[in-house]
Amino acid sequence: MLNALEVFTTVVVGLMVGVEFSVAFVMNRIFNALPEDSDQLARAHGGRMLGALMPFWYIGSLVLSAVWAVAGWHHHGTGLVVTAAGLLILSVVMSLLLLVPINNRGKTWTPENRPEDWKEQMNRWDRYHYVRVAVIIAAFTLLVAALA
């Protein structure tokens, strides 16, 4: 049963990393290359869509990692899992304090109501997101290492 939990947790976190990596290094670059107001509209739509899904994914990944750490407390690799869970906590805190406030504003913007500094706010979101992606990649790496 513990093996199934370990694999399931690693897959869930790995998929989350893939989505967030894609947002950072693929989707946002595509959006930035779109003409006129399409970039802002695409980001607003993405903010609404992923903003509804990602909280469950982040919290679910954290809960799964915590359950793995507790269930496998006396097994090899528990320190790696605990550290990964700590990094996932950091990613949730970063999200709540840094990214969600910008995302909540941006997902309501249209070309008619967006603020003058909307591009600067999106660039700030991108910078925070790059750091968050690095944090969740580190957590995923630790979970994979704990499997060995």
Side-chain angles (χ1 to χ4, degrees):
M1 186 71 168
L2 180 60
N3 287 340
L5 173 64
E6 294 168 345
V7 171
F8 183 72
T9 302
T10 304
V11 169
V12 168
V13 174
L15 289 170
M16 181 177 72
V17 167
V19 168
E20 294 291 35
F21 186 90
S22 176
V23 167
F25 298 104
V26 178
M27 298 310 299
N28 284 347
R29 291 178 188 214
I30 291 170
F31 295 164
N32 290 339
L34 294 173
E36 300 173 15
D37 295 325
S38 298
D39 173 26
Q40 185 264 307
L41 293 170
R43 283 177 175 263
H45 180 67
R48 287 187 300 273
M49 188 180 83
L50 290 173
L53 171 67
M54 297 315 287
F56 298 103
W57 212 336
Y58 273 84
I59 298 298
S61 295
L62 173 57
V63 168
L64 286 169
S65 297
V67 170
W68 175 359
V70 170
W73 190 250
H74 297 291
H75 294 260
H76 169 75
T78 301
L80 297 171
V81 177
V82 170
T83 305
L87 290 171
L88 291 172
I89 290 170
L90 176 61
S91 74
V92 169
V93 170
M94 288 177 63
S95 297
L96 293 172
L97 295 179
L98 303 173
L99 290 116
V100 169
I102 297 170
N103 193 59
N104 283 344
R105 288 190 302 270
K107 69 185 181 182
T108 65
W109 295 339
T110 66
E112 293 77 32
N113 73 358
R114 66 185 179 213
E116 291 291 321
D117 70 339
W118 75 271
K119 284 188 180 186
E120 287 123 18
Q121 290 188 53
M122 290 297 98
N123 288 335
R124 187 176 325 116
W125 188 94
D126 289 344
R127 288 190 304 273
Y128 294 149
H129 185 65
Y130 293 142
V131 174
R132 180 175 62 178
V133 169
V135 168
I136 64 174
I137 287 172
F140 175 66
T141 302
L142 291 170
L143 293 175
V144 170
L147 289 174

